[in-house]
Amino acid sequence: MEPNKEEQQQQQVAAQKAEFDPSEIEYVIYGGEHHLPLIMNLVDQELSEPYSIFTYRYFVYLWPNLSFLAFHRGKCVGTVVCKMGEHRTTYRGYIAMLVVINSYRGRGIATELVTRSIKVMMESGCEEVTLEAEVTNKGALALYGRLGFIRAKRLFRYYLNGVDAFRLKLLFPIPEINPVLSMIAESDEIHTHDQIPQQEGQDLQQGSG
Amino acid sequence: MDQSGAEDAAIHRHPPEHSSIPSGENSVWSDVSPLLEAACRELRDGELIHGDNFNLFAAMSALEIMDPKMDSGIVCKYYSIDEAVENGVAPVPISSDKTIDVQSTIDIMDHLLACEATWHNGHSLAQTVFSCIYLLRPDRTSSHAILHSYCRVIRATCKAVVSVVSDARTHEEEDLFTMAYGLPLHGHGDEKCLSMLNAVEETIYRQLRACKATSSKKRVSEDIEPLQHNLDLEEGFCKALLCRIRFRKHFFHVLTCMRRPQGRGLELARKHIASCMSELECILNSAEFIRLGAFGTCEDGVEDRTTASGRAPIGFDASLNSRSSAPTPPRAIKILSWEKAVQYFLKLLHDLDIVCSYSLDPSLEGVLRFVVQFQKSKPDLIARAHLQLLLVQDGKLYGRDPIFAVITKAAALPEVTKNHDIQKNEYIVQLGQLVINMLKILCTNAAWQRRKLGKILQDWRVIYVQLEIALRNEFGSVSSISDDENICVKIFKHILNWVEEQTYWIASRYLILGFELDLYSPNEYCMVYWYMYVVLIKLAEKTHLRIAVSSGTAKKKGKKKKDSPKEVAKESRIPLPVLFLQCHLCLAEGLSMMLAALRNELMVLQSPSPFNTEHERFIQHFELLQKACVPDNISYLSFKESTTYTRFSTLVMYNYFKNAQRIAKEIKSSFSDDPDRLAEVRRLEQVAEHNGVALNVICRVGALDPSLKVPDFLIPKNSNLSLSLSLSLSLHFSSRIL
């Protein structure tokens, strides 16, 4: 699955940045079928991989709590689509798509969107979060780096355009072995639940879309 | 909805009146169309039919018909090759005008070269080389000798290349490469391609001689029909064809020679490689002539053209195979430009030449060094596959040296050991498998290689433990038996030490590859260099032990002769390979400590993140090493212990960089006959010197102004960061402070 390509057209972007105050951006959790066309338009516009409507539905129907949209004055300007489930021996979150339209980039919208998803994953008992990003996508790599993701692997010619990808991974602290951290986490009102929700379609291999 | 009804409908597509399928004993056919129609009416937006084996996940694999991004059928211009042929897409002859026919033939050859290079670079065979309709219908070209023989050799070459890559199985992530379903990779009679090509070459060569003779007004002894009718262009066309045909011939020879067992064809292969390269030069030089003949019909953009002439070639349609190409959505493939393709082949030939010039070093140490050095030039799949097939044949090194013999040599055991019965021990047999597996992995691309090396660390650890247990079970307590009493014990002990040494070598390679693959970010460098340092300590220790023991046995043998004080002094010195490792080790430690001091005193390279800490990043980066206990008793805690209190003052005291520089100076002379290693030591020396200077500057400036804001490290992205190169980063750092 292909993540964002924020840097791709950066030169063009500089000229046409939208004027707005960050407080004007409204973040909304996925609310139903009426959000689907908004997400699809955004992804179709910004990402090259062709996804059928079933791909979107797979994610937003099974994990509506992990998908968020960002609105500016009623216009959808960004979205994040994720999933979570068992992967081998771990319970793992996966960020499938992250898009912010060009003129709204560089203002923390993507960070806010993805942070919201990661928080839900953490609260739902995920041990780690993964995604793939093109090695040339510096914007995305920096964004995820700031959030604590490491570049765990390089995937040779992962995309059909011949570009390599990095598999990025974020490991959450394990409370038992790191009491200091879990205290910090609790003070931030982040809780981990013992109950792991049962989900369908738990194959976390690369959503095949 | 009724699930079974839907399934029946899927099987039974025809209305019953057209159906001739009779009802069987246990089945009755019935029309479900009304049911389906009703179901369709019931389905609302966003609803999906669910079944036991059809859920939302499975639905993702659905392709939307008539969506050009997904429906590979829709982008085809022709439904079949035959239809394309009937439409005159690939005429034979290409033109009734002989001159145009020759020109077009050259265009086809050039475009095929570009396609071939594009294929080698990761695209499907079907959509690159086999987008050529002439290749797809082997019999159609038989009346056109040049095109026919050329198509034959292309098919035969593709087949040879596919076979090398699939035999080597180094293509795990490059599996598109060998996919050739439904392609006529083996045309009837293609095995005779060389004799046909020779005949064509001979004819054109005569035509060239004839036209030269005519132009110099000499009498022509034979009556030879010219290649085409424009006599001014005859010589140029003959030459352009000759170099293209000769290139194919030699390239095919290279591939076959390199496959000969035990490296017996390498010398001959080198000759063909040299010929290939000179023919490629001729091909490049022919471009000027060819372009002159291309009367302004050039495609736009010189950069993108896939032929020397710049014309679009006749007889290609990439969309014909898009349905059979690969299990991916259809995608237009950008064929490499002709010039890039030539450059690609030059690089490939250069890499193959390195493989062919290899001396088949019988020592494993030498093999490993060669492979690592070879990989530095980032050779492509085909060169790597050839190297792997050379190294491992029939379970032996070069198909020649039994693996046990290689191991005993590597473990510094005496020559006689290689025939010892101990090689039948199941764990020793397994160890041999691990060695072969490691050699194969070292020939894969860096990304895959690193992952696999990380995984086999565990295997090496497990075999160590198993060998240790076997030793204890069979021979009791190791300490109670002296070496002389039992040769088996001795062999086991040597091998055990060597297994550990090799394990640490794999670990260090794993860590270094992380730099090459750009997996570490600057705020992780401190822990990476620290881990490198602890691995190198163990590696140096095991290497030292191996060399000490083997020179110890040598000493025993020749005890009577070696008594002069000079000899004793020589033996007490640290052996060269160990010094080399120590030099690396000092640098790694110095860098790790410098980065730690920077963080502790100048507050740079700290990386607070909202969801986790450095501890988690440590666990993730070194997970595979930690799982394999490489090295033992190393954890995040030990990293913190050795870096938390590091100050610049302690760094200056320990003089890591000065030590590294001193060692490098000392060992330089010993590598005077090995340019690669000499260059490496020189680089180490330089890096040590630069970082020594950097450290001094930071100490002085940092002390003067502790509130100094330090900018981030300058990281050259995508550069080939090897250990030593990345070390010099700190120099940038110091210059920016100034």
Side-chain angles (χ1 to χ4, degrees):
Chain A
M1 194 72 45
E2 188 183 41
N4 53 350
K5 287 182 177 173
E6 288 203 7
E7 293 254 321
Q8 207 173 39
Q9 296 146 322
Q10 203 145 64
Q11 285 131 342
Q12 304 165 12
V13 183
Q16 31 172 298
K17 278 280 173 206
E19 298 276 327
F20 66 94
D21 189 278
S23 65
E24 293 169 34
I25 303 294
E26 196 194 344
Y27 296 93
V28 179
I29 195 161
Y30 178 79
E33 193 77 8
H34 64 287
H35 277 155
L36 200 54
L38 301 175
I39 295 176
M40 286 173 62
N41 283 340
L42 223 53
V43 177
D44 274 353
Q45 208 173 304
E46 303 290 340
L47 304 184
S48 64
E49 300 281 321
Y51 298 128
S52 76
I53 190 165
F54 303 111
T55 304
Y56 297 98
R57 287 210 173 111
Y58 167 68
F59 287 103
V60 299
Y61 273 52
L62 293 176
W63 299 277
N65 56 333
L66 297 181
S67 293
F68 291 89
L69 296 91
F71 289 92
H72 180 236
R73 294 182 185 153
K75 176 182 163 194
C76 183
V77 297
T79 187
V80 63
V81 175
C82 308
K83 68 186 252 176
M84 59 188 174
E86 296 287 341
H87 177 81
R88 298 200 180 130
T89 57
T90 63
Y91 193 69
R92 171 196 260 200
Y94 177 78
I95 298 165
M97 306 169 202
L98 172 64
V99 180
V100 171
I101 58 176
N102 244 324
S103 50
Y104 283 81
R105 287 180 194 171
R107 304 289 299 274
I109 297 175
T111 303
E112 179 60 31
L113 283 168
V114 84
T115 299
R116 283 175 187 241
S117 297
I118 294 172
K119 274 188 181 154
V120 178
M121 290 173 187
M122 199 168 173
E123 289 161 11
S124 314
C126 285
E127 291 144 72
E128 57 180 13
V129 182
T130 71
L131 67 121
E132 293 89 33
E134 278 185 40
V135 296
T136 49
N137 189 349
K138 302 221 172 82
L141 295 175
L143 185 159
Y144 290 114
R146 284 193 298 275
L147 292 173
F149 282 80
I150 68 147
R151 293 171 227 156
K153 285 175 187 173
R154 194 177 176 113
L155 306 165
F156 187 66
R157 285 186 193 142
Y158 184 73
Y159 295 106
L160 271 161
N161 57 15
V163 176
D164 291 0
F166 285 125
R167 162 106 5 98
L168 303 182
K169 275 192 187 180
L170 173 79
L171 179 70
F172 292 129
I174 303 161
E176 294 92 319
I177 63 156
N178 203 333
V180 181
L181 265 167
S182 59
M183 273 163 59
I184 298 167
E186 262 157 39
S187 68
D188 282 344
E189 288 180 88
I190 296 169
H191 300 282
T192 49
H193 299 274
D194 296 333
Q195 189 87 37
I196 293 170
Q198 285 301 310
Q199 302 280 9
E200 277 183 71
Q202 288 173 336
D203 182 0
L204 263 200
Q205 293 284 0
Q206 238 327 281
S208 67
Chain B
M1 80 168 281
D2 185 350
Q3 184 58 35
S4 60
E7 274 168 8
D8 283 351
I11 299 161
H12 182 71
R13 282 156 207 265
H14 304 286
E17 55 266 33
H18 300 296
S19 171
S20 56
I21 304 172
S23 296
E25 271 173 41
N26 300 313
S27 63
V28 178
W29 293 96
S30 66
D31 184 8
V32 292
S33 310
L35 181 65
L36 269 183
E37 275 158 25
C40 286
R41 277 195 301 276
E42 288 297 307
L43 272 177
R44 294 284 159 261
D45 250 8
E47 288 181 351
L48 185 79
I49 297 168
H50 287 259
D52 289 341
N53 50 13
F54 190 78
N55 53 19
L56 279 170
F57 184 76
M60 279 206 295
S61 311
L63 295 176
E64 281 176 36
I65 304 301
M66 301 311 283
D67 177 348
K69 266 175 147 183
M70 294 194 189
D71 186 349
S72 53
I74 195 175
V75 292
C76 286
K77 199 168 170 191
Y78 301 104
Y79 289 108
S80 66
I81 301 164
D82 293 329
E83 192 192 322
V85 168
E86 278 164 30
N87 276 278
V89 178
V92 182
I94 310 164
S95 168
S96 52
D97 179 323
K98 276 221 155 191
T99 306
I100 294 175
D101 190 74
V102 169
Q103 272 180 338
S104 306
T105 308
I106 292 171
D107 288 342
I108 291 169
M109 291 173 168
D110 288 347
H111 188 76
L112 275 173
L113 190 80
C115 286
E116 202 179 356
T118 309
W119 170 46
H120 288 189
N121 279 283
H123 292 285
S124 76
L125 188 58
Q127 283 188 279
T128 54
V129 180
F130 280 85
S131 64
C132 178
I133 294 165
Y134 294 111
L135 282 179
L136 289 166
R137 286 279 179 272
D139 300 330
R140 282 189 65 242
T141 47
S142 55
S143 61
H144 196 301
I146 301 176
L147 190 58
H148 195 55
S149 59
Y150 198 85
C151 286
R152 276 193 191 287
V153 77
I154 290 278
R155 279 191 300 265
T157 302
C158 288
K159 197 178 160 215
V161 168
V162 166
S163 126
V164 163
V165 172
S166 43
D167 288 355
R169 296 201 199 93
T170 48
H171 59 291
E172 287 88 350
E173 285 177 312
E174 299 157 287
D175 51 0
L176 261 183
F177 191 89
T178 49
M179 245 174 236
Y181 325 118
L183 300 177
L185 214 50
H186 182 80
H188 180 68
D190 281 354
E191 61 286 345
K192 290 177 284 184
C193 65
L194 280 181
S195 57
M196 286 191 69
L197 211 58
N198 281 331
V200 170
E201 182 195 346
E202 179 64 29
T203 310
I204 301 173
Y205 183 62
R206 281 185 196 178
Q207 287 164 331
L208 175 65
R209 270 198 327 205
C211 87
K212 273 186 170 169
T214 323
S215 61
S216 60
K217 310 233 162 40
K218 280 180 201 159
R219 207 173 55 85
V220 192
S221 54
E222 297 167 271
D223 187 26
I224 290 170
E225 194 192 339
L227 182 66
Q228 43 81 52
H229 301 307
N230 188 337
L231 289 180
D232 293 338
L233 302 177
E234 179 77 356
E235 184 181 343
F237 278 133
C238 286
K239 282 183 174 166
L241 280 176
L242 273 179
C243 55
R244 282 164 174 76
I245 286 168
R246 284 175 179 157
F247 168 75
R248 298 293 1 164
K249 193 177 78 174
H250 290 299
F251 189 63
F252 189 69
H253 275 303
V254 170
L255 296 174
T256 45
C257 287
M258 287 188 79
R259 290 303 298 273
R260 287 200 199 152
Q262 304 188 6
R264 286 194 195 115
L266 297 186
E267 211 174 309
L268 188 56
R270 287 197 79 186
K271 287 180 186 153
H272 287 295
I273 287 171
S275 305
C276 276
M277 285 176 152
S278 75
E279 297 302 340
L280 275 177
E281 286 301 321
C282 295
I283 293 175
L284 276 177
N285 292 336
S286 72
E288 201 182 339
F289 162 80
I290 288 170
R291 239 163 272 158
L292 280 178
F295 317 107
T297 49
C298 280
E299 288 169 34
D300 292 335
V302 180
E303 245 79 293
D304 288 345
R305 59 173 179 225
T306 59
T307 57
S309 67
R311 274 186 307 259
I314 291 169
F316 288 82
D317 187 342
S319 68
L320 271 178
N321 284 319
S322 61
R323 270 170 289 194
S324 64
S325 58
T328 56
R331 208 156 303 212
I333 287 175
K334 184 153 169 47
I335 300 292
L336 282 181
S337 76
W338 176 71
E339 264 153 50
K340 280 199 182 124
V342 174
Q343 293 313 321
Y344 164 77
F345 273 97
L346 283 170
K347 160 93 165 81
L348 171 63
L349 288 162
H350 175 76
D351 291 337
L352 291 176
D353 194 49
I354 294 176
V355 175
C356 292
S357 55
Y358 177 51
S359 64
L360 308 195
D361 190 337
S363 84
L364 187 66
E365 218 180 329
V367 180
L368 298 182
R369 209 160 38 233
F370 174 78
V371 180
V372 169
Q373 184 67 28
F374 178 67
Q375 288 274 23
K376 279 185 187 160
S377 65
K378 298 201 185 305
D380 271 305
L381 175 62
I382 293 156
R384 284 188 277 107
H386 272 290
L387 176 61
Q388 198 223 280
L389 289 179
L390 173 67
L391 294 185
V392 182
Q393 293 170 22
D394 308 326
K396 293 177 181 171
L397 182 64
Y398 317 121
R400 184 187 72 190
D401 309 341
I403 288 298
F404 184 65
V406 174
I407 292 171
T408 53
K409 199 175 168 68
L413 281 158
E415 188 68 11
V416 290
T417 333
K418 71 178 189 191
N419 297 321
H420 197 278
D421 259 3
I422 206 165
Q423 61 186 298
K424 289 172 191 151
N425 177 294
E426 65 173 306
Y427 299 118
I428 299 286
V429 172
Q430 274 181 34
L431 180 63
Q433 273 307 314
L434 289 190
V435 173
I436 288 175
N437 198 18
M438 174 183 71
L439 286 175
K440 288 184 174 175
I441 288 168
L442 289 172
C443 295
T444 60
N445 71 61
W448 184 264
Q449 190 187 144
R450 184 172 192 270
R451 260 180 282 163
K452 287 285 164 185
L453 287 179
K455 284 187 184 146
I456 62 165
L457 272 174
Q458 283 217 62
D459 303 340
W460 281 80
R461 197 62 189 180
V462 168
I463 202 79
Y464 175 81
V465 174
Q466 284 171 330
L467 283 167
E468 208 181 24
I469 293 168
L471 172 66
R472 226 179 294 134
N473 288 350
E474 285 182 42
F475 307 104
S477 167
V478 175
S479 55
S480 69
I481 301 171
S482 76
D483 286 0
D484 302 291
E485 280 174 30
N486 195 329
I487 180 100
C488 287
V489 175
K490 191 174 150 190
I491 295 172
F492 262 114
K493 282 166 107 180
H494 274 254
I495 288 180
L496 274 171
N497 180 67
W498 173 77
V499 168
E500 280 197 289
E501 185 188 350
Q502 200 52 52
T503 310
Y504 292 121
W505 184 88
I506 295 170
S508 72
R509 175 103 186 114
Y510 173 82
L511 289 171
I512 289 172
L513 279 171
F515 280 107
E516 284 180 25
L517 296 169
D518 202 14
L519 293 181
Y520 311 128
S521 51
N523 57 36
E524 293 156 359
Y525 280 2
C526 181
M527 60 165 111
V528 174
Y529 282 124
W530 180 82
Y531 215 111
M532 186 95 85
Y533 154 72
V534 295
V535 167
L536 285 171
I537 290 181
K538 299 300 261 182
L539 178 57
E541 188 186 306
K542 299 297 163 191
T543 308
H544 203 164
L545 188 62
R546 167 175 56 84
I547 297 172
V549 170
S550 71
S551 63
T553 47
K555 204 171 86 183
K556 261 181 221 160
K557 271 188 204 160
K559 214 171 186 178
K560 283 163 200 163
K561 291 177 208 162
K562 290 184 188 172
D563 255 351
S564 70
K566 236 184 188 173
E567 287 291 332
V568 173
K570 210 175 176 183
E571 273 160 19
S572 68
R573 258 203 268 150
I574 301 169
L576 188 61
V578 179
L579 279 174
F580 186 71
L581 287 170
Q582 278 182 348
C583 184
H584 271 284
L585 194 154
C586 288
L587 275 178
E589 188 180 16
L591 279 163
S592 156
M593 292 302 144
M594 184 158 81
L595 290 161
L598 278 171
R599 187 148 71 167
N600 295 338
E601 288 194 53
L602 299 181
M603 306 299 158
V604 290
L605 296 171
Q606 286 173 331
S607 53
S609 76
F611 296 107
N612 64 10
T613 66
E614 189 185 50
H615 188 179
E616 281 72 37
R617 292 196 281 279
F618 184 95
I619 294 175
Q620 286 177 285
H621 267 305
F622 310 118
E623 188 188 3
L624 293 171
L625 298 166
Q626 295 268 295
K627 258 191 200 160
C629 305
V630 176
D632 266 326
N633 303 319
I634 286 296
S635 65
Y636 180 64
L637 219 62
S638 24
F639 164 63
K640 280 322 260 183
E641 273 169 11
S642 43
T643 53
T644 308
Y645 303 106
T646 307
R647 292 283 178 273
F648 284 115
S649 48
T650 42
L651 257 136
V652 173
M653 212 164 71
Y654 285 110
N655 254 332
Y656 306 105
F657 298 126
K658 284 239 171 66
N659 283 339
Q661 208 181 330
R662 183 181 49 76
I663 299 172
K665 270 209 175 74
E666 201 180 312
I667 59 180
K668 231 173 13 183
S669 59
S670 318
F671 291 122
S672 51
D673 55 343
D674 186 342
D676 285 338
R677 298 202 85 191
L678 187 63
E680 199 178 339
V681 176
R682 283 222 173 97
R683 224 163 34 233
L684 289 176
E685 190 187 359
Q686 229 172 39
V687 171
E689 192 188 336
H690 289 177
N691 282 293
V693 173
L695 179 62
N696 279 336
V697 173
I698 298 167
C699 285
R700 248 183 291 136
V701 180
L704 285 176
D705 183 5
S707 67
L708 195 72
K709 283 260 186 283
V710 184
D712 278 347
F713 271 56
L714 279 176
I715 309 299
K717 284 283 174 197
N718 296 327
S719 63
N720 178 12
L721 287 183
S722 69
L723 165 66
S724 45
L725 286 179
S726 58
L727 308 185
S728 60
L729 290 174
S730 31
L731 190 69
H732 290 287
F733 175 68
S734 67
S735 62
R736 286 186 70 174
I737 297 181
L738 292 170

